[in-house]
Amino acid sequence: GAPYTSVATFTLKGGDKKILTGIPADTKYTVSEQDYTAEGYVTDIPTNAEGTITEDGDPTVTFKNTRNVGGLTVSKTVAGNDGDLNKAFTFTVTLTAPANVNLVGSYTGAANGNINVAAMPTGAIWTETFSLKHGQSINFTGLPENTAYTVSEADYAAEGYVKTVSGAEEGSIKADATATVAYTNIRDTG
């Protein structure tokens, strides 16, 4: 007879499985998964995503989705014999996701919030200005791997502060790691 084609569509979460039964031997199959690249996932496509059901065959097709994320911490220290420990210093953080990847994540510490910017062909961009006092920090988590970051602090030299920075003010988020940009402002008199 004429070939028969059937399509089954279903949604699975991590660890879920779907079992299809009653498929005759010699039936060709193709299993595919929706593209989740824009959400930062990398998918390992199994070698048996296409095949033929054999007599007593029981193929298992497993897709592995990995979302590689990292973080960024910006911290503030004030030192010196005339450093104002209660002074708020202004910082600007800019994040740019890789092309066609949603920029998502969150931040906690001296400020709290979520980041959710839709994917763009040139990279989703998010910029925010924060104030940090002595001993405070902001911790960004869940950022897509290869998201570019730029951190800058306003200039306080006219107020007598000398700035030093530990860590790169510009860089790229690495998977399973946290980049740290630590600012110290020193003001001494006398």
Side-chain angles (χ1 to χ4, degrees), residues 113-185:
N114 293 308
I115 302 165
N116 192 355
V117 182
M120 302 285 292
T122 56
I125 299 173
W126 179 87
T127 299
E128 191 69 42
T129 299
F130 301 98
S131 292
L132 294 177
K133 295 179 181 180
H134 172 73
Q136 292 184 325
S137 63
I138 296 181
N139 304 299
F140 297 86
T141 57
L143 301 174
E145 180 179 32
N146 297 320
T147 293
Y149 68 85
T150 302
V151 182
S152 62
E153 181 185 45
D155 186 356
Y156 294 94
E159 296 178 38
Y161 286 96
V162 175
K163 175 178 77 174
T164 60
V165 182
S166 173
E169 290 181 289
E170 294 185 11
S172 182
I173 301 299
K174 306 297 180 218
D176 302 321
T178 299
T180 300
V181 186
Y183 287 84
T184 301
N185 291 76

Side-chain angles (χ1 to χ4, degrees), residues 55-150:
E55 190 71 36
D56 297 325
D58 189 14
T60 299
V61 181
T62 303
F63 286 82
K64 181 180 177 188
N65 302 94
T66 306
R67 184 170 184 267
N68 296 318
V69 296
L72 170 68
T73 296
V74 179
S75 66
K76 177 74 191 154
T77 302
V78 177
N81 65 17
D82 196 28
D84 182 352
L85 301 183
N86 292 311
K87 179 175 179 52
F89 292 79
T90 302
F91 294 85
T92 302
V93 176
T94 301
L95 303 171
T96 306
N100 302 311
V101 173
N102 294 330
L103 179 53
V104 295
S106 61
Y107 54 95
T108 58
N112 299 296
N114 293 308
I115 302 165
N116 192 355
V117 182
M120 302 285 292
T122 56
I125 299 173
W126 179 87
T127 299
E128 191 69 42
T129 299
F130 301 98
S131 292
L132 294 177
K133 295 179 181 180
H134 172 73
Q136 292 184 325
S137 63
I138 296 181
N139 304 299
F140 297 86
T141 57
L143 301 174
E145 180 179 32
N146 297 320
T147 293
Y149 68 85
T150 302

